[in-house]
Amino acid sequence: MKANTNFTKLPQSYLFSEVAARIRDHKESNPESEVIRMDIGDVTLPIARCVLDAMHKGIEEMASTVTFRGYGPEQGYAFLREAISEGDYKSRGLDISPDEIFISDGAKSDLGNLGDIYSPDSVVAVADPGYPVYVDTAVMGGRGGDLTESGRWNKIVYADSTPENGFVPRPPKEHADVVYLCSPNNPTGVVFDRETLKEWVEYARREKAVIVYDSAYEAFVDDPAVPRSIYEIPGAQEVAIEIRSFSKTAGFTGLRCGYTVVPKALKASGENGEEVSVNRLWNRRQSTKFNGASYPIQCGAAALYSPEGRAAIKENIDVYKSNARYIKKKLSEAGFETYGGEHSPYVWARHPEQTDSWALFAKLLKEAGISCTPGIGFGRAGGGYIRLTGFNTPEKTREAMDRLGKVDF
Ligand code: PLP
């Protein structure tokens, strides 16, 4: 066969493999030293008991011809779509109905799959630094153009997150058709304020663009002043798709379940400028290419909307957030400039004396036995920064930060 050259244009995934290789080298040269992983992007706390019980029950139903379930609805079971509609939206004053919610096997799949329903020549805009999946899937879909020497793709529009804008990116001057936004943000841990999100919604309305709003970390927000959903902004249902996940919220990184909201008010333009329902396009795409998330997993996800499920989510997230706050405090005491770490498991940091991401990574690994993620791996505007995460245990997090306190910068 002939290869899809959109894929061959992409550089090899350099960031995480390079981080892993450097940690391996360090361990080989220092077999007695224990590296504390502060670069973990995965959750570490176990699944809540009520979720496990619901999954067991779902599995047991498969044992009897009376309760056995085969293929489920491609859009997800009604019991889960209804629980989400009520628990995550209607109870918060947002009118999202079950038929606007599509259950997925996680946010990453849908972030990529959505590319099926945009016109191939769509201009994609991303915030920089950002979760690499937005740019890589745009390139795979033929929407990247060419990689330039600056490390950026010439057809992609970049909205920089910088210290000047507090790492809250503003809409670009250029036109875009599809905009990827993420709040609470990976990697910076920063959240959108209501005013800036309003500017993005206005931008999308003006440019007739769609915003793909990745709120995989929304459960980390507990300040009512901070938007958890883009639909808190008036008019957003006409311009935004929201993507969520149970991965970081409830430890589902291995179980795999999330959901995508495609409001019925959202319209694209057809061949002759006529309005096309994006909800219908996505429904058509899912019915053809997806056979639904696993039934026992959806049973487990629905249990998260019970009082026990809610309490378990809060308990886990409180641990990660407390770790992140501690990391932020200790980094500040060590002279770092820090961002995020309040409504997020991520802390984004720079030291005035060490302005190269990889040099800072190497110093922390060598002198403190701590691994982090170099910010440059998330985009050009991440240069000079590092990302630390609150996903390790409280004990290891404290030990890592004690070690950091002894490093001379
Ligand atoms: N979106 C963001 C911003 C993420 O950081 C991640 C995972 O790290 C995902 C989506 C993927 O989530 P899921 O496990 O649901 O595929």
Side-chain angles (χ1 to χ4, degrees):
M1 72 172 215
K2 283 188 179 171
N4 178 341
T5 53
N6 293 324
F7 282 67
T8 53
K9 274 185 179 182
L10 277 170
Q12 288 307 308
S13 172
Y14 166 69
L15 178 65
F16 296 106
S17 50
E18 184 64 18
V19 166
R22 293 209 192 187
I23 294 172
R24 216 171 31 245
D25 288 351
H26 176 84
K27 281 184 178 163
E28 270 168 29
S29 336
N30 305 274
E32 73 296 341
S33 90
E34 185 214 358
V35 174
I36 304 183
R37 301 293 300 258
M38 301 305 285
D39 60 309
I40 308 177
D42 198 352
V43 289
T44 48
L45 291 170
I47 301 295
R49 176 48 54 192
C50 63
V51 171
L52 295 173
D53 289 345
M55 289 196 302
H56 279 303
K57 189 165 167 290
I59 289 171
E60 280 305 320
E61 286 175 31
M62 299 296 189
S64 140
T65 44
V66 180
T67 49
F68 169 79
R69 302 207 186 212
Y71 289 123
E74 294 93 349
Q75 301 79 3
Y77 281 98
F79 64 80
L80 181 54
R81 299 171 91 193
E82 281 159 13
I84 293 168
S85 163
E86 187 53 43
D88 288 346
Y89 293 102
K90 290 190 174 156
S91 61
R92 295 182 189 149
L94 304 173
D95 188 16
I96 297 292
S97 58
D99 57 358
E100 296 175 303
I101 294 165
F102 295 80
I103 309 302
S104 68
D105 61 357
K108 199 186 205 180
S109 317
D110 277 5
L111 283 166
N113 293 339
L114 275 168
D116 280 2
I117 63 165
Y118 322 135
S119 147
D121 60 359
S122 300
V123 176
V124 170
V126 295
D128 183 350
Y131 182 49
V133 171
Y134 315 140
V135 167
D136 288 2
T137 55
V139 173
M140 288 173 178
R143 301 180 184 100
D146 294 310
L147 189 57
T148 67
E149 277 190 10
S150 71
R152 288 186 161 179
W153 297 87
N154 65 357
K155 282 200 183 155
I156 293 182
V157 172
Y158 293 85
D160 283 344
S161 304
T162 62
E164 288 70 39
N165 58 29
F167 281 93
V168 182
R170 299 300 193 282
K173 292 196 175 51
E174 300 94 326
H175 166 78
D177 299 297
V178 182
V179 179
Y180 290 86
L181 297 179
C182 177
S183 179
N185 189 268
N186 178 10
T188 66
V190 172
V191 288
F192 272 113
D193 56 276
R194 220 170 278 282
E195 277 314 301
T196 312
L197 204 48
K198 231 167 110 186
E199 284 177 34
W200 279 101
V201 168
E202 280 161 15
Y203 171 87
R205 296 180 75 90
R206 198 169 56 243
E207 300 294 331
K208 300 198 183 318
V210 63
I211 295 172
V212 178
Y213 194 72
D214 181 349
S215 59
Y217 298 88
E218 59 80 32
F220 285 76
V221 174
D222 56 15
D223 178 351
V226 175
R228 287 176 76 151
S229 164
I230 193 165
Y231 304 124
E232 292 175 38
I233 308 299
Q237 290 202 21
E238 284 149 39
V239 293
I241 291 171
E242 184 156 277
I243 297 200
R244 289 192 176 178
S245 167
F246 298 110
S247 283
K248 308 298 163 92
T249 306
F252 272 52
T253 51
L255 295 177
R256 311 302 308 144
C257 196
Y259 63 89
T260 292
V261 180
V262 188
K264 283 181 278 188
L266 178 61
K267 304 284 188 237
S269 59
E271 209 171 358
N272 303 308
E274 74 283 10
E275 283 191 342
V276 177
S277 160
V278 179
N279 181 287
R280 276 182 51 199
L281 284 187
W282 184 243
N283 194 34
R284 185 73 176 86
R285 190 267 168 212
Q286 291 299 82
S287 311
T288 303
K289 292 198 183 182
F290 186 54
N291 254 337
S294 141
Y295 171 68
I297 302 293
Q298 291 191 61
C299 293
L304 292 167
Y305 292 88
S306 65
E308 297 82 0
R310 293 278 191 202
I313 289 176
K314 185 169 176 341
E315 209 175 294
N316 280 13
I317 285 183
D318 282 350
V319 172
Y320 300 138
K321 281 176 68 166
S322 150
N323 286 346
R325 274 196 300 272
Y326 189 75
I327 294 167
K328 189 175 168 83
K329 178 168 168 279
K330 290 293 169 182
L331 283 170
S332 304
E333 285 171 15
F336 281 78
E337 195 183 293
T338 65
Y339 297 88
E342 276 172 69
H343 302 291
S344 165
Y346 298 124
V347 183
W348 185 242
R350 174 170 74 169
H351 196 282
E353 304 300 325
Q354 284 286 346
T355 53
D356 178 273
S357 289
W358 279 108
L360 196 47
F361 166 88
K363 187 174 172 72
L364 289 179
L365 188 58
K366 182 161 180 260
E367 296 180 27
I370 301 171
S371 61
C372 62
T373 312
I376 187 74
F378 296 99
R380 192 173 79 182
Y385 288 82
I386 51 170
R387 187 195 75 174
L388 276 78
T389 85
F391 286 128
N392 212 324
T393 62
E395 297 71 31
K396 288 287 171 210
T397 303
R398 273 173 171 62
E399 190 186 334
M401 292 300 108
D402 285 350
R403 291 188 193 177
L404 181 118
K406 296 186 186 116
V407 175
D408 207 4
F409 287 98

